[in-house]
Amino acid sequence: MKLHAFALVLLLAAPAAAFADQAQVIALVRAAEADLRLGRNPQALEKLRQAVELARRTAPALVASAESSLGNAYLAGGRAADAERTLRSAVDLARKGNDARVTASALNNLGNALAAQGRFADATAMYREAIS
């Protein structure tokens, strides 16, 4: 009976730990968004890198969203090529996860990164795909 109770505790603790990791990823992303609004791009980038890494290890469903935010931070910091690379990854992951909301958001953000590079036809294609 003791072994059964221990197994039950482990089963109940696992979702709680996963939820805590997901909450930490979300908190890092939200804190980074606040940093961006306050013009603290280096701090935002660091938080978003941490969020992406934590999501990769513990909350795979949040990686695409965290990468999309990281791409926006790169773009805000004038690093359009880094933004494009990161946002393309976010789009791919969101598609693989069948997450239509994150896919559309990442496509829109990718369009912004392409427009920042003067690639307006490519940007328009991303915007169109985001709304289709």
Side-chain angles (χ1 to χ4, degrees):
M1 192 65 163
K2 288 182 183 178
L3 183 58
H4 177 70
F6 180 70
L8 182 59
V9 168
L10 288 178
L11 285 173
L12 294 174
F19 179 75
D21 291 334
Q22 290 177 356
Q24 187 175 0
V25 170
I26 293 166
L28 283 165
V29 170
R30 296 300 176 248
E33 289 170 349
D35 281 338
L36 282 174
R37 287 184 188 100
L38 295 170
R40 298 188 307 225
N41 196 273
Q43 294 89 337
L45 285 170
E46 181 57 31
K47 286 179 179 83
L48 289 166
R49 286 186 196 110
Q50 289 174 13
V52 168
E53 183 57 34
L54 180 60
R56 283 186 181 135
R57 287 193 324 265
T58 64
L62 297 177
V63 176
S65 183
E67 280 192 349
S68 187
S69 293
L70 178 58
N72 282 342
Y74 281 137
L75 188 57
R79 296 171 57 182
D82 289 329
E84 178 184 354
R85 176 184 45 79
T86 304
L87 290 163
R88 286 191 185 281
S89 175
V91 168
D92 289 342
L93 289 169
R95 283 180 174 150
K96 287 176 185 171
N98 294 315
D99 191 330
R101 184 190 61 79
V102 174
T103 300
S105 177
L107 283 165
N108 180 71
N109 296 340
L110 178 56
N112 294 340
L114 294 168
Q117 297 174 72
R119 296 165 54 196
F120 302 112
D122 293 335
T124 300
M126 294 302 109
Y127 297 140
R128 285 190 176 128
E129 191 173 346
I131 61 172
S132 64

